[in-house]
Amino acid sequence: MKGAAALLVFWLCGAGALAAPDVALPGLGSDSHRSVVDVNTAPWRILGRVQTSLGGRCTGFAVAPTVMVTAAHCLWLPATRRYIQPEDVHVLMGYMLGHYRLHAQVTHFVIAPGYDPQNEGGTASQDRATLLLDRKVIGSEELVPYSEAHTGAAAMLVGYPQDRQEMPYGDISCHINGLAVNGLIHHDCSATRGDSGGPLLARQPDGQWGIVGIDVLATPGRGGFAAPLPH
């Protein structure tokens, strides 16, 4: 498979305005199939809406009781060429139509060393930010393990997309297409702007679900790319 830099792709950072038809948004296409999920049941209890005091919105997921992961580009401010301050980033766990289980404040975040927001295409495989929170947002027993991405495996990708940003909405019937030469994971899940930072889940050979990547890019039709997880 060719690298993502050779393809027309779109960054998935959320925008404030709602978009109209699904087909107008990258990553969906005319054959998009998405549905609402229950964020109070496994494996979606890890899901959170990451939002900033400046109105930015993305998706994130818990990897430890007080640690979340999202896409690094969600925290970058192009106008000032700086990352947003941690105190301006918030996480709403289990968000649905204005209600949520709990709110957490980001106290510090770490950007993956290889990511360069001014060279997104060349460093997309490192588009990852680790958020440290001021409180516990999930129990250890509710976490979903990191796993390997296998071509052809069943996959799921849910987040807070631009056109449905008030609810956890996504594709629970898609697949892993393969790995790009730059390490990105290609999938055919319906996902668009606002889904950035969401967990790409894949069914493992033992039948269990595992997190294999962080959604970062969309293609013109249905599908996109996820950044791999650190080993």
Side-chain angles (χ1 to χ4, degrees), residues 1-225:
M1 180 183 296
K2 296 181 180 179
L7 299 173
L8 176 61
V9 294
F10 301 84
W11 301 98
L12 293 178
C13 192
L18 291 177
D22 286 353
V23 294
L25 290 170
L28 299 182
S30 59
D31 58 346
S32 171
H33 45 76
R34 297 177 296 163
S35 58
V36 178
V37 303
D38 184 352
V39 283
N40 291 310
T41 60
W44 304 117
R45 284 183 63 83
I46 63 171
L47 207 67
R49 192 167 83 164
V50 178
Q51 55 189 54
T52 74
S53 58
L54 301 180
R57 296 185 183 92
C58 277
T59 304
F61 57 97
V63 297
T66 60
V67 182
M68 296 279 289
V69 167
T70 190
H73 74 257
C74 293
L75 308 178
W76 177 251
L77 303 175
T80 60
R81 296 189 176 185
R82 296 177 62 184
Y83 287 103
I84 194 168
Q85 293 298 305
E87 60 265 26
D88 291 324
V89 185
H90 306 263
V91 171
L92 301 178
M93 296 299 294
Y95 185 89
M96 174 72 168
L97 297 174
H99 300 280
Y100 46 89
R101 289 196 308 274
L102 57 86
H103 162 265
Q105 172 73 51
V106 174
T107 61
H108 182 67
F109 60 75
V110 179
I111 304 298
Y115 180 66
D116 181 356
Q118 299 186 78
N119 180 24
E120 292 181 318
T123 62
S125 63
Q126 299 298 314
D127 189 352
R128 183 178 68 256
T130 302
L131 313 177
L132 305 182
L133 309 176
D134 67 348
R135 68 195 61 194
K136 179 178 176 180
V137 296
I138 197 169
S140 298
E141 71 283 357
E142 299 172 301
L143 296 172
V144 179
Y146 282 8
S147 300
E148 297 293 328
H150 301 283
T151 300
M156 300 191 292
L157 180 55
V158 172
Y160 291 93
Q162 178 179 326
D163 60 334
R164 300 289 192 280
Q165 59 188 357
E166 291 299 307
M167 59 186 69
Y169 197 65
D171 192 341
I172 59 172
S173 181
C174 47
H175 298 85
I176 303 297
N177 288 337
L179 301 180
V181 294
N182 57 2
L184 289 171
I185 303 165
H186 188 216
H187 61 80
D188 65 2
C189 304
S190 301
T192 190
R193 298 186 180 103
D195 286 313
S196 195
L200 176 63
L201 272 58
R203 191 180 294 278
Q204 300 302 299
D206 63 1
Q208 300 299 307
W209 290 97
I211 305 170
V212 299
I214 305 162
D215 199 43
V216 295
L217 295 170
T219 51
R222 179 163 59 92
F225 291 87

